[in-house]
Amino acid sequence: MIKVVIVDDEPKLRQGLQTLIPWGDLGFTVIATAGNGKEALKVIMDKTPQVVIADIRMPVMDGLQLIQQLRSAGQHLHVIILSGYADFEYAKQAIKYGVAGYLLKPVNISEMSASLKLVREQIEKESLSKEGHQGEGMNRDLYLHSLLVPQEKTEDPAKLSSKTKQADLLWGSYEVVVIYPRVSDADRSEELIRLSVGLKQGIEARSMGIVTVISPYVILLLNAPLRGRQRRDNLYGEIRSIAGDTRFAAATGGAVTEQKYIRSSYVKAQEAVKQAFFSRKNSLLEPDIPCLPSPPLPRLPDDNYEERIEDLIFRLYYCLDAGNKTMVSQLLNEAAAFFLKQGQDEKSVKQSFFFLSNAIIHKLAAVSRIELKETETVSRFLNGIYQHDHLQDLLEEIHSFLSEFAEDFEPKGKEQEIKKMLDFINRHYAEDLRLSSIAGLLNYSTPYLGQLFRNMTGDYFNTYLDRVRIQKAKELLGQGMKVYEVAEHVGYTNANYFHSKFKKYEGRSPSDYKNP
């Protein structure tokens, strides 16, 4: 059966044509319909029909623009034009493109049937001509598609070689490059055609290979290997020049020497382009190239996902509080390495960083580091996480945004660093503070920082922390708070332990202090 797509902005006419025309008897089958030229482009790229029946007047993209796009892209489909009486002058322009038929509305069934019979005869003649011709007659686009898309059965090597020769594809080398435009689904078909037209003018004009489209990719089949970084960079630059402002990813599947392996190159190129988010920026990607290098991960028991996330949130938040922007960057890289280790794809990695960033922002908001007036800025930042094409750009953006809320950190010798540490303790005395955790934030070893702290303050770290907590406890007890409540508020989970500490430093129990 010959595949047909009907394009008209009137639903009743589309439905009428589908039901009133005896398609099967005429040797045709309607595989899809569309309401305008832009919708039709996507359908045509996906379904590869042989015949298009299109209204000349439609919103968004009319029939004439649709034909222009198809012809520019090298799509030599058989098109039957439908128009009203008032559109005749306009329709004459479409006839210049070699349309297969021109019918007035309302469509007459017998006239449409007659036009379809003529189109079928023409398609049959073309098919016979291709079978008997030994050169330019073979449709290289269709043949290339058959090599790239899996066939139901393996073709005889001798027959395959004969077809390859007919299609003028009997080369010494083949290399597939796929180009994926990063555009919305609604704009994809139009962008694929624009890119393919631009690349045909360069690649095919210089006899470097052929260009075709299999949605969602523009595909180049090159007749010489892309050996060396310079050749790959030159091709990438050519693609970027044609793409203009359109974001895209491009990858090669590597060179092969036999046509039966062309599909293998195509599959590898697809796999590489799907990993573009994790790969180098501004370059033609290659198969089997590892992702961006990642730092080793600190070990947690069983690498529990929830524990790891909580640990990352904890350390990132306190690094911001301590003003250590360098450590923030290291922790974001550690988070990326962890997400990759979990086997997360691009979408999942972005979701994970959204959650991580949102949790830290909520912690910052809880201590008034982010004001209400900044809510719109925060929302824009969080939504922007999903717009990044490369992991490295995403990490830099998150680091830049979060660092705006870090305390100023300008080390001026050891005294300044200890002062920073004391300020940190006075803000977070109620939490589970450990010298080892703070040492990590300040990039010191735990023993060295402990000795430095004692030299500067005269106290061991734990002693100083106890003194701060007891001082805060005295303030709360003076406000009438119950002893066990005070213990929890200042960081002691055990009321008896708090009681012994209080008595050690104050010489009396908390209850005695509360009731003199």
Side-chain angles (χ1 to χ4, degrees):
M1 290 287 186
I2 297 170
K3 295 186 291 184
V4 180
V5 169
I6 299 172
V7 190
D8 197 292
D9 60 324
E10 297 179 40
K12 287 184 179 179
L13 189 142
R14 296 197 301 269
Q15 184 63 35
L17 286 177
Q18 284 181 275
T19 55
L20 297 175
I21 304 298
W23 298 102
D25 295 341
L26 294 168
F28 294 85
T29 178
V30 177
I31 58 169
T33 63
N36 58 62
K38 192 166 187 177
E39 287 179 14
L41 275 179
K42 184 176 188 310
V43 171
I44 291 166
M45 291 299 167
D46 289 342
K47 305 288 189 180
T48 61
Q50 294 147 287
V51 178
V52 174
I53 298 173
D55 187 11
I56 204 73
R57 292 271 192 184
M58 293 181 292
V60 185
M61 180 187 288
D62 61 35
L64 180 58
Q65 292 168 323
L66 171 61
I67 298 168
Q68 288 172 325
Q69 291 269 25
L70 292 171
R71 295 296 186 250
S72 296
Q75 297 279 346
H76 300 293
L77 305 175
H78 295 264
V79 181
I80 295 176
I81 291 296
L82 307 179
S83 76
Y85 285 103
D87 298 326
F88 180 72
E89 289 301 320
Y90 184 64
K92 283 196 298 187
Q93 299 178 52
I95 296 173
K96 294 177 184 178
Y97 287 98
V99 294
Y102 168 72
L103 299 175
L104 290 173
K105 291 183 176 181
V107 176
N108 180 285
I109 296 174
S110 60
E111 288 181 358
M112 174 63 82
S113 297
S115 293
L116 288 170
K117 286 178 182 177
L118 291 174
V119 168
R120 188 189 69 208
E121 289 172 6
Q122 182 62 33
I123 290 173
E124 288 171 349
K125 285 179 183 178
E126 289 173 1
S127 179
L128 289 171
S129 174
K130 287 172 185 175
E131 288 177 8
H133 200 284
Q134 294 296 311
E136 296 294 333
M138 171 70 74
N139 187 317
R140 293 205 301 178
D141 245 24
L142 291 176
Y143 180 59
L144 178 55
H145 285 212
S146 73
L147 292 175
L148 297 172
V149 179
Q151 303 299 299
E152 292 181 5
K153 60 181 181 179
T154 304
E155 200 157 12
D156 177 68
K159 191 174 182 181
L160 182 63
S161 179
S162 174
K163 284 189 174 182
T164 303
K165 187 176 180 180
Q166 290 177 44
D168 196 21
L169 292 178
L170 204 56
W171 304 336
S173 174
Y174 308 89
E175 183 161 356
V176 176
V177 173
V178 301
I179 304 157
Y180 175 73
R182 290 181 175 272
V183 296
S184 67
D185 289 342
D187 296 330
R188 186 168 309 285
S189 296
E190 204 167 342
E191 191 58 38
L192 288 171
I193 287 179
R194 189 183 74 82
L195 281 175
S196 66
V197 170
L199 286 164
K200 278 176 181 288
Q201 294 171 358
I203 302 298
E204 295 187 1
R206 300 201 305 275
S207 299
M208 292 174 59
I210 59 176
V211 180
T212 190
V213 173
I214 297 182
S215 188
Y217 306 115
V218 174
I219 298 166
L220 315 182
L221 180 64
L222 305 178
N223 55 24
L226 287 169
R227 291 199 179 99
R229 172 58 54 193
Q230 190 61 52
R231 288 200 66 193
R232 291 192 289 272
D233 288 347
N234 288 345
L235 178 60
Y236 184 85
E238 185 172 348
I239 297 168
R240 184 168 54 186
S241 175
I242 293 167
D245 295 333
T246 299
R247 293 148 45 217
F248 69 92
T252 171
V256 297
T257 56
E258 296 181 52
Q259 67 269 24
K260 64 182 179 181
Y261 297 124
I262 290 175
R263 171 159 173 75
S264 173
S265 180
Y266 175 49
V267 170
K268 287 182 178 179
Q270 283 181 293
E271 291 170 352
V273 88
K274 288 174 183 176
Q275 294 300 311
F277 179 71
F278 305 102
S279 305
R280 295 187 310 272
K281 292 170 54 179
N282 303 322
S283 63
L284 185 67
L285 305 176
E286 302 169 61
D288 306 320
I289 299 296
C291 297
L292 294 169
S294 56
L297 296 174
R299 185 71 181 168
L300 285 183
D302 299 324
D303 257 356
N304 182 277
Y305 185 84
E306 287 75 18
E307 287 184 26
R308 175 72 72 180
I309 295 298
E310 289 302 319
D311 177 66
L312 285 166
I313 292 170
F314 172 86
R315 288 190 288 154
L316 277 164
Y317 170 65
Y318 286 123
C319 278
L320 290 169
D321 192 76
N324 192 338
K325 297 179 183 180
T326 301
M327 183 61 72
V328 170
S329 180
Q330 292 176 14
L331 287 173
L332 288 173
N333 283 324
E334 182 184 318
F338 174 63
F339 298 147
L340 290 177
K341 184 181 176 184
Q342 299 295 308
Q344 295 189 6
D345 59 11
E346 176 181 343
K347 182 180 179 182
S348 298
V349 167
K350 289 177 177 178
Q351 288 174 336
S352 295
F353 272 115
F354 182 98
F355 174 80
L356 194 70
S357 301
N358 196 34
I360 294 165
I361 287 168
H362 274 79
K363 278 183 170 289
L364 293 169
V367 292
S368 302
R369 294 274 284 282
I370 296 179
E371 300 178 10
L372 287 175
K373 65 181 180 181
E374 295 170 321
T375 301
E376 185 178 341
T377 303
V378 170
S379 178
R380 208 163 39 241
F381 158 71
L382 289 172
N383 289 328
I385 286 174
Y386 292 98
Q387 307 308 314
H388 285 280
D389 295 340
H390 297 280
L391 177 58
Q392 200 58 49
D393 287 345
L394 174 59
L395 295 175
E396 290 171 7
E397 174 69 17
I398 295 174
H399 180 259
S400 174
F401 183 83
L402 293 180
S403 293
E404 292 180 14
F405 303 101
E407 291 286 347
D408 292 332
F409 184 62
E410 298 179 3
K412 298 175 182 177
K414 295 173 182 176
E415 288 185 6
Q416 180 67 17
E417 292 177 355
I418 295 301
K419 180 179 181 301
K420 189 73 183 177
M421 188 173 172
L422 298 179
D423 290 342
F424 186 86
I425 293 170
N426 278 280
R427 284 197 300 273
H428 300 289
Y429 62 87
E431 296 163 24
D432 184 22
L433 292 187
R434 299 168 188 265
L435 180 62
S436 58
S437 300
I438 298 178
L441 300 180
L442 298 177
N443 288 328
Y444 281 115
S445 70
T446 303
Y448 178 78
L449 184 61
Q451 187 61 49
L452 184 64
F453 186 87
R454 189 181 181 199
N455 292 342
M456 295 289 183
T457 65
D459 277 328
Y460 290 106
F461 171 79
N462 287 335
T463 301
Y464 184 87
L465 178 59
D466 282 335
R467 290 186 189 280
V468 171
R469 286 173 167 173
I470 297 304
Q471 184 59 40
K472 298 294 181 182
K474 287 162 63 177
E475 294 174 12
L476 296 173
L477 288 167
Q479 295 170 14
M481 190 177 287
K482 294 179 180 179
V483 173
Y484 76 89
E485 292 176 332
V486 171
E488 290 180 0
H489 271 75
V490 299
Y492 295 109
T493 56
N494 186 297
N496 291 331
Y497 185 67
F498 166 63
H499 186 279
S500 65
K501 285 287 185 182
F502 193 95
K503 193 167 186 179
K504 173 183 175 181
Y505 289 105
E506 294 298 317
R508 51 181 169 162
S509 70
S511 54
D512 290 340
Y513 183 88
K514 184 178 179 181
N515 302 303

